[in-house]
Amino acid sequence: MGKRVGMEVAMAVAEAVGLCNIDMAAVYPITPQSHIAEHLSDLVADGKVDAEFVTVESEHSAMSAVIGASGAGARTYTATSSQGLMLMHELLPIASAMRLPICMAIANRAVSGPLNILNDHTDIMPQRDSGWISIFVENGQEAIDMSIIAFKIAEHKDVMLPVNINIDGFQLTHMVEPFEMPTQEEVDKFLPPFVPHVTLHPAKPVTMGAFAMSDYFAEIMKAKDEALKNSKKVILEVWSEWAKLFGRSYKPVEAYKSEDAEILMLTMGSMGETAQMAIDELRGRGIKAGLVKLKLWRPFPFAEVKAAIKHAKKLIVTDRAISFGGPGGPVFSEIKSALYAETQRPLIYNYIYGLGGRDVPVSDFIGMFEKVLADLAGKAADTYEFWGVRE
């Protein structure tokens, strides 16, 4: 099944997208996403992928181009990072409002200023409410798989929404990892040709993204919200189909040694594998520690989160972004909100870490556990702390 290869993750993502029979891509290079753009353009130029690769002058133009092409019925793809994603910002809600199944990789990177090209999650968090399905991956294999899966989810007749795949910049994009690359035949079996619900064409005029007065606008927003929430059913179905074909299963919330855990940590992205090593060491000390990995960011998996942490006494929520002047990190806020009405919930602690690509070794994760375990009176619960910041 597939071919076992070793390759840089960003280039592997481009290879995976090339297997999806895309019609058009518009990707403006930006560190650390550039290798996706460069390799995908090479695949098109060499005739290995039969698609139009549109050269644009900015990320704003890239999103504008894929919106137009998707509206005309093309299977479209783009990728970006950091300031590029911020430049796309005004167009993201338009893509979802027009129900266009665009797929986009985000090589997550710190947002300026000061200028920083390394990884954290401050680029995706301002896009949280743009109406896109949003998925986080943990390693290269997941990045490849989700790059293919995204098209099937986005194009499903009951979804028709754009999808972004969050791939930690440098810490994943520039790593060379071993993984299984699906064959063209396998992808063709999994991903059918794109049949759009409606397309822009001079012979049959339609309107997309028209002006809406206040007497319709609220209803349109509600319809968009319902569509995003209802997409979860399709996401689960597509992940299940992928597992049957390729033997790799995915869940909105994945757990590691959490069944009997009294203290849990929640992570998103590539830090999960490092955190697992901390869990193993703590278990070796006799501490009932466990890990919860949040893979589906939007639509938010309320039921799965509650089920994963219901037996824990304490929960450490980690964030790689900060909501300035707010209650802590964005993920921390979401988790607290999800558990607000629960009569029994763990004490929740928030650590903001790894900003701007700062290294977070196993010892740091163990340190977070030790600090929370030492808080016997729970005085630090429901608060946040920047981990490892020099005074």
Side-chain angles (χ1 to χ4, degrees):
M1 181 177 292
K3 182 181 180 181
R4 190 75 171 171
V5 297
M7 188 185 300
E8 184 191 90
V9 171
M11 296 179 70
V13 167
E15 293 272 349
V17 171
L19 295 172
C20 293
N21 296 312
I22 59 171
D23 299 305
M24 176 269 196
V27 189
Y28 191 82
I30 180 172
T31 302
Q33 173 274 122
S34 297
H35 290 185
I36 299 176
E38 292 166 359
H39 191 56
L40 187 56
S41 67
D42 286 343
L43 293 173
V44 173
D46 293 343
K48 296 178 180 178
V49 175
D50 183 15
E52 293 291 329
F53 191 95
V54 180
T55 303
V56 291
E57 68 273 17
S58 72
E59 292 86 357
H60 188 283
S61 299
M63 183 52 63
S64 298
V66 293
I67 284 174
S70 184
R75 177 174 284 167
T76 60
Y77 181 78
T78 189
T80 191
S81 177
S82 186
Q83 307 303 132
L85 183 60
M86 304 298 277
L87 187 57
M88 287 181 174
H89 178 79
E90 70 165 313
L91 296 166
L92 300 185
I94 295 173
S96 57
M98 293 172 67
R99 307 294 293 274
L100 300 175
I102 298 162
C103 292
M104 173 168 65
I106 302 173
N108 301 111
R109 168 190 143 184
V111 171
S112 299
L115 176 65
N116 182 291
I117 64 168
L118 301 174
N119 170 243
D120 63 28
H121 295 159
T122 52
D123 53 2
I124 181 58
M125 291 306 164
Q127 325 307 327
R128 179 192 65 178
D129 301 325
S130 61
W132 286 54
I133 294 169
S134 189
I135 298 169
F136 278 77
V137 301
E138 187 176 355
N139 53 45
Q141 186 69 66
E142 291 185 10
I144 292 169
D145 292 354
M146 291 301 173
S147 295
I148 299 169
I149 290 170
F151 286 101
K152 186 152 188 173
I153 292 171
E155 295 170 1
H156 192 284
K157 64 181 180 62
D158 295 331
V159 177
M160 294 301 292
L161 286 170
V163 178
N164 61 62
I165 307 300
N166 293 272
I167 310 167
D168 284 351
F170 287 111
Q171 292 174 349
L172 276 187
T173 58
H174 286 55
M175 294 296 105
V176 175
E177 296 185 6
F179 36 70
E180 289 185 1
M181 181 66 71
T183 65
Q184 186 66 66
E185 292 75 19
E186 289 172 334
V187 175
D188 289 344
K189 182 180 179 181
F190 172 77
L191 182 64
F194 175 40
V195 180
H197 173 66
V198 65
T199 60
L200 295 168
H201 195 280
K204 191 176 180 181
V206 297
T207 297
M208 292 186 183
F211 180 73
M213 290 290 287
S214 55
D215 49 351
Y216 287 105
F217 190 82
E219 286 76 13
I220 295 170
M221 292 300 99
K222 178 173 171 41
K224 181 175 172 179
D225 182 48
E226 290 297 319
L228 186 55
K229 290 189 294 185
N230 292 337
S231 70
K232 182 182 170 186
K233 178 182 178 182
V234 174
I235 293 168
L236 297 178
E237 290 174 353
V238 173
W239 282 351
S240 177
E241 182 180 349
W242 182 268
K244 291 176 183 176
L245 289 174
F246 296 96
R248 295 185 292 275
S249 61
Y250 295 105
K251 298 177 182 179
V253 177
E254 297 182 358
Y256 181 73
K257 296 185 177 180
S258 65
E259 294 81 4
D260 64 338
E262 295 179 353
I263 180 169
L264 289 172
M265 174 176 280
L266 185 144
T267 62
M268 288 172 64
S270 61
M271 286 293 183
E273 293 188 339
T274 306
Q276 282 186 199
M277 299 172 67
I279 300 299
D280 291 340
E281 183 169 332
L282 289 166
R283 285 280 175 167
R285 300 183 192 176
I287 298 171
K288 292 184 177 180
L291 182 65
V292 174
K293 305 173 187 178
L294 189 58
K295 299 296 181 78
L296 183 61
W297 180 232
R298 282 294 184 274
F300 191 83
F302 290 96
E304 288 85 351
V305 167
K306 292 176 183 179
I309 66 179
K310 64 182 179 181
H311 298 305
K313 295 178 181 178
K314 293 185 175 183
L315 172 65
I316 304 169
V317 177
T318 62
D319 268 286
R320 303 197 69 185
I322 176 67
S323 177
F324 295 103
V331 182
F332 177 58
S333 299
E334 298 273 313
I335 297 298
K336 284 207 302 180
S337 174
L339 299 177
Y340 176 77
E342 298 298 302
T343 55
Q344 287 186 320
R345 69 173 179 88
L347 297 174
I348 308 174
Y349 300 76
N350 185 208
Y351 289 107
I352 296 164
Y353 70 142
L355 299 183
R358 179 170 291 189
D359 189 31
V360 186
V362 174
S363 59
D364 279 356
F365 287 104
I366 292 173
M368 295 177 205
F369 275 99
E370 290 175 338
K371 192 164 187 178
V372 169
L373 288 169
D375 183 33
L376 300 178
K379 292 182 178 180
D382 289 334
T383 62
Y384 69 96
E385 178 183 332
F386 281 81
W387 181 263
V389 174
R390 296 182 296 274
E391 297 295 337

